[in-house]
Amino acid sequence: RKIPKTKGNHLKNLLDFTLKELKEQLSPPFRAKQIFEWIYKKNATGFDEMLNLPKDLRTNLAQEFYLDPLKCVKFEQSADGSIKYLFELKDGLRIESVLLPMKEEQTNEQGKISRHARYTVCVSSQVGCKMGCAFCLTAKGGLVRNLTAGEIVGQILWIKRENKIPYERRINVVYMGMGEPLDNLASVSKAVKILTENDGLAISPRRQTVSTSGLGSQIKKLGKMDLGVLLAISLHAVTDELRSRLMPINKAYNIEAVMDAVRGFPIDMRKRVMFEYLVIRGLNDSLADAKKLMRLLHGIRAKVNLIYFNPHEGSEFGRPEPSNMVQFQDYLCAHGITCTIRQSKGLDISAACGQLKQRNEKNKISAQNGIDADKISSAKARERAGTNEPTIKISGRKDQVLLTNPSRKTGPKSAPATQNLTNAEKK
Ligand code: SAH
Ligand code: SF4
C-alpha cells in the first residue's frame, strides 16, 4: 500500500509495518523485535530512546521512519470518564477516536465481586465515509481517504501511552469510529495483525470487533481471511424499505444478503455476532420491529446492542423514548436473545462519530465571528436531552439510566448487572 507522505517528507510510518515486514528491512533481523518492543511495550517516541540499538542504526532509522502518525489537537472528557480525541494526521486531515473506560464485575465461586478496570478503544478506519447513511454525521462529507494500518494502530498506541494504561492491561478494540472498515479491508486487516503481534501490543483478535454497515462480499472476504476477529453488523432496520432509506448500501446488499454473509462468517463457538440497532424515534422503535428482528436473527448466534440515536445539528431524526428502548430490550430478552442497551457515552461530548470533528471545524469559523460554537452546541444537546428525559433514574445521570438494572435479564442464562457500554467483548 502506498503510505501518504506530506510534501517533501520521504519518511515512512514505522507503525505501518508488521514484524515480518520490518525484519525484511533490517539486518540483522532480530533488531525488528527490539524496535517493536521499544515502541509497543516501552512506549518509546523516538529512536534515541532505543538504547540497545547501535547508534548508527538509530541514526539510519530516524532518516527513514517516523513513529508519530498522529497529533492530538483536541480532546473532551465526558462526565462518565470516556474521552474523545481529535487527531490530526500528517497531511492535516482529522479523525476521531474514543477511549471508553469501564468497570467489569466478576463474581468468583464464593459469590464475591471483584472489579477490574477495562478499556475499550474505538478507532476510525477512514477519513470520512462513502456509505451515506442518513443518520450519520461522518457520511456528510463523503470519503476523503482510507487510513493506513499504521494510522489505525497509532490511535490505540497513542491513547494507551498518553493515558499510561499499563502494558499488561487488556484492552478491546472496536472499529466503530469514522469510516467503514470493510471499505478499507487491506488496512484494517493489517492493523488487526500488527495489534496482535506478541512483541507488539499483543491484543488478541478476539478482543477486536470490526463493525460494518453490511458490505456482503467484504464480510465474506474478511471471513475467508480467518483472522479471528469479532463481527458487528449495523442493522438498524428490519425491513428493506426502511433500511434502504437509512443506509443506501442496503440497495446493493439487502438484509437477506447480509444475513447470508453473516451465516458463513467463522466465529468462535463461545462468541456471537453483534447486531447494532440504532433506535430512532417513531421509525424503528416499536414492539413489531422487535418481533421482526427476533425472526430475522433466528438460527444466528447473535446478540443485539440497542443504540439511542444521538441527534446532531441538521439531523431529521429523534432520540427514542427510553420506555420504547426498554420494551424492545425486554421483548428480545424474554425470547432468549442477549440484548444490551448501549449506554450513551455522554451527550456532553456529542458521542456519535464525527461530531467532535464537526464542532471543532465550526469553532474555527465561528471564533472568527466571536461566537463560541462549543457552548452553543452543547447547550443545544442538553436542551434536546432534556426533552427526552428518562423516567427512571438509577445511576444518577440521565443518559446512564439503563446501565444497571439487576431485575432485567440480559440473556437466556446470564444476567450481568452491568451492561456493556459498547460492543466490547467480555471474556
Ligand atoms: N461504518 C461502520 C462503523 C462505524 S459507524 C458501521 O456503520 O458499522 C459506528 C457506529 O456509530 C454505527 O453503529 C453507527 O450506526 C453509529 N452511529 C452513527 N451515527 C450515529 C448517531 N447519530 N447516533 C448514534 N449512533 C450513530
Ligand atoms: Fe459510514 Fe458507518 Fe457512518 Fe454509515 S454509519 S456513513 S457506514 S461511518
Side-chain angles (χ1 to χ4, degrees):
R1 265 202 58 80
K2 227 172 146 216
I3 298 160
K5 291 175 188 162
T6 41
K7 229 178 176 180
N9 186 357
H10 59 286
L11 300 184
K12 291 178 273 188
N13 179 4
L14 201 105
L15 310 186
D16 269 314
F17 290 78
T18 61
L19 186 62
K20 187 168 171 274
E21 285 172 345
L22 198 59
K23 277 182 180 162
E24 285 161 8
Q25 300 252 327
L26 296 171
S27 122
F30 73 84
R31 296 286 179 211
K33 183 177 151 80
Q34 291 177 319
I35 296 169
F36 251 63
E37 286 175 349
W38 275 112
I39 300 171
Y40 296 107
K41 294 191 173 174
K42 299 188 225 166
N43 287 331
T45 51
F47 296 104
D48 284 353
E49 295 166 46
M50 305 184 179
L51 294 174
N52 57 354
L53 303 187
K55 191 146 193 317
D56 57 342
L57 175 60
R58 282 186 262 151
T59 312
N60 290 346
L61 286 169
Q63 282 167 359
E64 206 175 328
F65 299 102
Y66 61 87
L67 295 170
D68 58 338
L70 317 164
K71 195 170 79 193
C72 179
V73 288
K74 188 177 169 136
F75 68 91
E76 285 184 350
Q77 181 150 23
S78 156
D80 55 22
S82 63
I83 311 174
K84 185 161 229 183
Y85 296 95
L86 182 63
F87 288 119
E88 191 167 285
L89 305 162
K90 288 279 180 205
D91 56 6
L93 295 171
R94 291 175 172 195
I95 52 162
E96 290 179 16
S97 321
V98 191
L99 172 67
L100 306 149
M102 51 187 146
K103 288 267 188 293
E104 183 177 85
E105 294 182 353
Q106 270 172 3
T107 316
N108 67 15
E109 279 159 17
Q110 286 83 44
K112 244 185 159 177
I113 291 174
S114 54
R115 292 188 170 83
H116 306 271
R118 265 294 176 80
Y119 294 96
T120 294
V121 180
C122 173
V123 294
S124 291
S125 56
Q126 297 180 312
V127 182
C129 181
K130 68 172 181 227
M131 298 301 147
C133 300
F135 48 80
C136 177
L137 205 51
T138 305
K140 298 280 178 278
L143 175 66
V144 182
R145 75 163 167 89
N146 281 336
L147 294 188
T148 68
E151 287 168 333
I152 299 172
V153 171
Q155 297 168 56
I156 299 143
L157 180 64
W158 192 97
I159 287 175
K160 201 170 175 186
R161 188 179 64 220
E162 298 303 318
N163 286 285
K164 301 196 167 45
I165 298 175
Y167 178 76
E168 323 67 53
R169 191 63 53 78
R170 286 181 169 172
I171 63 168
N172 299 311
V173 174
V174 292
Y175 297 81
M176 289 179 189
M178 300 165 71
E180 166 53 54
L182 295 192
D183 186 37
N184 183 16
L185 187 54
S187 296
V188 168
S189 58
K190 192 171 183 192
V192 170
K193 289 181 196 156
I194 297 171
L195 292 171
T196 307
E197 299 280 12
N198 270 329
D199 297 306
L201 289 174
I203 303 172
S204 156
R206 284 177 176 73
R207 295 188 162 276
Q208 302 188 46
T209 304
V210 174
S211 173
T212 178
S213 54
L215 280 73
S217 59
Q218 295 295 90
I219 295 172
K220 288 184 182 164
K221 254 194 209 165
L222 177 69
K224 281 207 185 95
M225 289 179 172
D226 213 11
L227 297 173
V229 286
L230 304 177
L231 183 68
I233 302 288
S234 290
L235 192 67
H236 308 336
V238 290
T239 63
D240 279 322
E241 191 203 346
L242 179 61
R243 195 164 191 273
S244 296
R245 213 179 109 200
L246 296 175
M247 308 173 74
I249 185 68
N250 196 65
K251 291 172 198 154
Y253 301 100
N254 65 14
I255 295 176
E256 196 37 53
V258 174
M259 292 302 175
D260 194 47
V262 169
R263 279 190 203 96
F265 191 83
I267 47 159
D268 187 317
M269 276 312 286
R270 293 164 304 172
K271 299 286 177 190
R272 289 165 191 279
V273 174
M274 160 82 66
F275 285 85
E276 296 164 275
Y277 190 91
L278 183 68
V279 188
I280 304 173
R281 188 169 61 219
L283 260 194
N284 60 359
D285 57 354
S286 72
L287 194 57
D289 292 303
K291 288 181 183 175
K292 201 143 191 198
L293 179 57
M294 204 197 72
R295 281 200 295 275
L296 274 178
L297 298 180
H298 184 76
I300 295 178
R301 292 169 40 74
K303 57 182 175 181
V304 173
N305 194 216
L306 302 177
I307 309 167
Y308 276 92
F309 171 68
N310 195 7
H312 46 85
E313 258 178 69
S315 75
E316 51 179 312
F317 305 117
R319 194 174 158 87
E321 294 299 333
S323 56
N324 284 1
M325 293 289 270
V326 172
Q327 168 184 267
F328 205 111
Q329 181 189 33
D330 279 348
Y331 182 84
L332 292 180
C333 288
H335 291 81
I337 295 179
T338 302
C339 177
T340 50
I341 296 178
R342 188 186 294 176
Q343 177 196 6
S344 170
K345 269 278 157 177
L347 279 172
D348 54 337
I349 57 163
S350 307
C353 56
Q355 298 191 13
L356 176 61
K357 182 169 185 266
Q358 199 210 33
R359 279 202 294 128
N360 203 49
E361 263 143 34
K362 222 196 254 156
N363 239 355
K364 279 194 235 158
I365 301 163
S366 52
Q368 293 158 5
N369 305 326
I371 306 163
D372 188 339
D374 252 29
K375 284 199 185 112
I376 297 169
S377 57
S378 57
K380 276 202 174 151
R382 272 193 289 277
E383 205 176 283
R384 277 193 217 104
T387 58
N388 291 306
E389 190 163 340
T391 47
I392 30 172
K393 225 170 183 177
I394 298 166
S395 63
R397 278 192 61 228
K398 285 177 196 166
D399 54 342
Q400 281 184 336
V401 225
L402 297 163
L403 184 63
T404 50
N405 188 348
S407 65
R408 178 168 303 115
K409 279 206 168 63
T410 53
K413 276 194 227 102
S414 65
T418 306
Q419 292 183 357
N420 265 355
L421 132 77
T422 64
N423 305 315
E425 280 302 296
K426 286 187 178 176
K427 271 195 182 170

